[in-house]
Amino acid sequence: VALLDLSDELVCHIFLHTDLATLQAVKSSGSRHLLSLARQTLVSSDAWSKQHRSNAKALEREKRLVFSHSFTPGSSGNGIGAVCHMPSGQLAVGTEGPDGSAVMFVTVEGEVQRRIGRKGRGPGEFCEPYSVRCDGQFLFVADKQNDRVQKLTLEGAPLCEYSGQPQQLFDPRDVALTNGRVYVSSFVGVSVFDTDLNFLFRFGEHGRHPGQFNKGPHGLAVYDDRIIVTDPYNNRLQLFTLDGHLIRVVGRKGDGRGEFLKPLGVAVNNGLMYVSEHHGRRLQVLDADTAESLQSIVPPLPCTGSSLLGAVSASNLHVCVAGVGAGCVFVFDARSRPVARKGKVFWLQRSTTEFRRDSTRR
């Protein structure tokens, strides 16, 4: 593949600064044969050290998102609160609007397969289902306006709930599941339950200091032995142990790399962290281990006011984001990685370390 559209910095990064004369010759010629030959030579040379192999492995797992499409589940005008990848491959989307309060199960193209729930305060009913999570057997729903979290079967039958204790749960916003625990963010902090929704403990007080939340936490995501929490009104992320002890604070207010403007949703998949910014109107991709910002992308929208982004869910194939103002779900393709942004786009596929040009993607 010709390297005419790649920057010098990127070309050097790909080949790890090995034999720059060869790289310059390859780039100036644009020859596929020369590139293949150069790559084979560099990979097999003594200069390809252990450190270089480590760098190559890091490059291999780097991903770049590309906007794919958006869809509006159900009737136009539905508000979107929750989005979650299901084990079946469907998406669970929490909606509030003309179709009432419901959890809709849709394809990634937006075709509604079924729905559960209706507007109300009884078991199995919702008033703004703001977060949906699935452990493979059960659904856990943050029922925002009812100030409760519900556990249901996959068919929507209610099993149990936690409510009526505003000092432990008020205005719930997101749910995360791990190790037999249910983490729920709300105005009062992060509350932790067992899988039968028995309260265990809570962490995170109001404030601006590390370990505190201004007007409460929002998005939750579990990665390894830590839980990532978005702190929207402090414009940062905070990382805690699963027992609620602060590990570190990530980011500050701003629109630069690694900075945030009211981060709401967060999801982690394959070592990458995806953060939606409500006021920043973008989706930022970070390394989940180092918190280094790798990419930011703004979905195409009909108007600026519609670009408020909320909940995030990530799989090996797609990253989906709730478009709060637009009333839709934005879908990003996570299956391939572009390695250049100027001119024609080149893609690095998971299954091979060879480059190819995908003329169908621009």
Side-chain angles (χ1 to χ4, degrees):
V1 179
L3 294 180
L4 298 178
D5 294 317
L6 301 185
S7 66
D8 290 331
E9 178 182 2
L10 184 55
V11 170
C12 291
H13 180 53
I14 291 173
F15 287 101
L16 308 170
H17 303 277
T18 306
D19 196 353
L20 296 183
T22 302
L23 290 178
Q24 292 170 359
V26 169
K27 184 176 179 181
S28 62
S29 69
S31 167
R32 299 189 183 193
H33 174 70
L34 277 178
L35 175 58
S36 176
L37 180 62
R39 191 179 191 288
Q40 293 173 14
T41 301
L42 294 175
V43 169
S44 61
S45 67
D46 293 337
W48 191 266
S49 65
K50 181 178 180 180
Q51 180 61 44
H52 287 167
R53 292 182 184 276
S54 176
N55 292 342
K57 183 178 180 180
L59 178 63
E60 182 68 15
R61 62 183 277 257
E62 182 180 348
K63 293 184 180 179
R64 289 289 184 258
L65 288 185
V66 174
F67 177 75
S68 175
H69 63 279
S70 64
F71 66 84
T72 300
S75 302
S76 177
N78 283 328
I80 306 298
V83 59
C84 170
H85 282 88
M86 297 291 292
S88 63
Q90 296 177 318
L91 295 174
V93 180
T95 65
E96 175 81 19
D99 290 336
S101 288
V103 175
M104 296 187 179
F105 297 89
V106 303
T107 66
V108 75
E109 289 77 27
E111 180 182 351
V112 179
Q113 305 290 303
R114 63 186 180 97
R115 56 176 286 167
I116 61 173
R118 61 182 181 181
K119 192 174 184 68
R121 298 186 178 279
E125 299 176 336
F126 312 112
C127 190
E128 196 174 357
Y130 207 71
S131 176
V132 180
R133 293 291 180 259
C134 179
D135 65 358
Q137 293 182 298
F138 304 103
L139 295 173
F140 295 85
V141 181
D143 193 2
K144 186 175 172 68
Q145 297 300 325
N146 285 330
D147 294 316
R148 65 183 178 182
V149 57
Q150 296 193 67
K151 179 181 179 180
L152 307 97
T153 67
L154 297 181
E155 292 72 34
L159 297 174
C160 59
E161 67 176 62
Y162 182 90
S163 63
Q165 301 292 329
Q167 70 273 20
Q168 307 297 359
L169 186 71
F170 178 72
D171 187 28
R173 299 161 180 179
D174 201 4
V175 177
L177 309 173
T178 186
N179 295 340
R181 288 180 175 180
V182 180
Y183 293 77
V184 183
S185 62
S186 76
F187 184 79
V188 297
V190 179
S191 300
V192 186
F193 306 86
D194 64 20
T195 54
D196 292 323
L197 298 184
N198 297 304
F199 179 79
L200 300 177
F201 63 92
R202 178 175 59 83
F203 64 89
E205 305 295 333
H206 282 278
R208 298 181 181 274
H209 296 295
Q212 298 179 331
F213 303 103
N214 184 13
K215 300 182 182 179
H218 204 284
L220 300 174
V222 174
Y223 178 62
D224 288 344
D225 57 351
R226 73 197 81 160
I227 185 163
I228 304 166
V229 187
T230 65
D231 187 4
Y233 290 95
N234 283 327
N235 299 289
R236 65 190 182 187
L237 312 178
Q238 300 198 65
L239 278 61
F240 296 85
T241 68
L242 297 180
D243 291 325
H245 301 294
L246 180 67
I247 299 174
R248 61 180 295 201
V249 174
V250 174
R252 60 182 181 181
K253 184 176 183 178
D255 58 5
R257 292 168 58 93
E259 298 176 335
F260 305 101
L261 293 174
K262 198 177 178 181
L264 281 192
V266 61
V268 177
N269 190 62
N270 285 339
L272 295 174
M273 176 166 52
Y274 305 94
V275 181
S276 66
E277 297 179 56
H278 194 64
H279 287 171
R281 296 179 169 88
R282 65 178 178 176
L283 179 67
Q284 196 165 170
V285 185
L286 302 94
D287 186 295
D289 293 304
T290 66
E292 175 190 2
S293 180
L294 303 174
Q295 181 190 12
S296 63
I297 183 170
V298 178
L301 294 159
C303 61
T304 303
S306 297
S307 56
L308 303 177
L309 303 179
V312 183
S313 182
S315 73
N316 292 336
L317 301 180
H318 302 97
V319 176
C320 298
V321 184
V324 179
C328 67
V329 175
F330 299 108
V331 181
F332 300 85
D333 191 340
R335 290 173 292 184
S336 303
R337 301 178 290 269
V339 295
R341 296 184 181 181
K342 297 189 297 182
K344 296 181 177 65
V345 178
F346 293 80
W347 293 77
L348 181 60
Q349 304 293 333
R350 290 176 202 249
S351 58
T352 178
T353 54
E354 296 296 325
F355 292 98
R356 72 178 181 87
R357 182 182 306 173
D358 188 339
S359 60
T360 64
R361 299 183 184 271
R362 299 290 178 178

